[in-house]
Amino acid sequence: KLKDGDAKSKKMLHTIQALKKQIEEKDKTIVELTEELEKRKFDIVTLKSHVDKLNTNVAQLKEEKAEQEKALEAQSNMLNEAYVVIGSKKELKAAGLMTGGSLFKKSKLNMSKVNASAFKKIDIRNVKSFKIPANRYEILSQMPSGSYKVSKNDDGTSTLTITDATRFWSVTNYLVIKY
């Protein structure tokens, strides 16, 4: 009827066809956008999976780093530990660190059967001096001369001060002082 109708009807028919064409174009655009959206969803899922894997890797690396730091700290502590004993001849003999000492035989340091409980464990990074409870003393372990100094105190004691820690502990990490 509209085709056969007057100019107004033809105009309306033309408008309807234009609107149908617009609807088809919009439908086509909607289909394209829907496909694009599905692709994006897939990309997002893939990226989330990748991010999850990366987060897992980061967590594992942090755990490994913490374990390595702990191991390094333990090794550092072991490398920087030393043992000190300061005692009288009688105390050192009781600890099994000295042998001999008769009328004709001088007493000697015996480190072959070292009893760790007789020593005080120290961190050589932190401890730089030792108080000796007497003015007369003898350093029995082999510590390099020039790597320490000993000063006498007014109260009848002495203080051994380490001046070069690297040299001082280079020979042995056991310090034995007899007073």
Side-chain angles (χ1 to χ4, degrees):
K1 274 185 171 179
L2 289 174
K3 284 183 185 177
D4 298 335
D6 60 354
K8 212 178 184 186
S9 297
K10 285 185 181 182
K11 190 176 182 184
M12 196 180 249
L13 180 64
H14 188 317
T15 304
I16 289 172
Q17 287 175 345
L19 289 173
K20 279 185 180 180
K21 190 175 180 184
Q22 279 184 348
I23 288 174
E24 285 175 6
E25 288 175 2
K26 299 286 182 186
D27 284 345
K28 194 176 185 182
T29 304
I30 288 172
V31 168
E32 289 173 0
L33 289 173
T34 304
E35 288 174 357
E36 176 115 5
L37 181 63
E38 290 301 317
K39 286 180 187 176
R40 301 288 172 153
K41 283 182 181 177
F42 178 75
D43 289 346
I44 289 172
V45 168
T46 303
L47 289 173
K48 280 185 178 180
S49 171
H50 189 64
V51 166
D52 288 344
K53 286 179 185 176
L54 289 175
N55 285 337
T56 301
N57 287 346
V58 167
Q60 288 174 344
L61 289 173
K62 282 183 180 179
E63 189 175 305
E64 288 174 11
K65 180 185 173 202
E67 288 174 8
Q68 288 175 348
E69 285 176 348
K70 191 175 181 181
L72 283 173
E73 184 178 338
Q75 287 176 345
S76 176
N77 288 341
M78 284 177 61
L79 288 172
N80 289 299
E81 66 185 29
Y83 303 90
V84 177
V85 64
I86 301 172
S88 66
K89 181 178 180 180
K90 187 177 182 180
E91 292 169 337
L92 295 175
K93 273 191 168 188
L97 295 171
M98 291 191 74
T99 57
S102 63
L103 183 60
F104 299 107
K105 196 173 186 183
K106 187 177 178 186
S107 57
K108 290 194 268 180
L109 180 64
N110 180 13
M111 295 295 282
S112 63
K113 297 177 185 175
V114 174
N115 182 2
S117 64
F119 289 87
K120 177 183 175 189
K121 183 177 169 181
I122 63 160
D123 186 337
I124 63 175
R125 296 171 288 194
N126 301 328
V127 179
K128 301 294 180 197
S129 64
F130 304 96
K131 192 167 190 172
I132 305 168
N135 275 329
R136 294 179 48 107
Y137 62 89
E138 183 180 356
I139 299 173
L140 300 178
S141 49
Q142 297 178 0
M143 299 309 192
S145 61
S147 63
Y148 64 93
K149 65 179 181 176
V150 179
S151 56
K152 296 184 186 227
N153 302 326
D154 293 336
D155 61 355
T157 62
S158 300
T159 302
L160 180 140
T161 305
I162 300 171
T163 56
D164 184 354
T166 306
R167 269 190 57 221
F168 186 82
W169 297 109
S170 65
V171 177
T172 180
N173 59 343
Y174 288 90
L175 173 61
V176 180
I177 301 175
K178 177 184 82 163
Y179 61 89

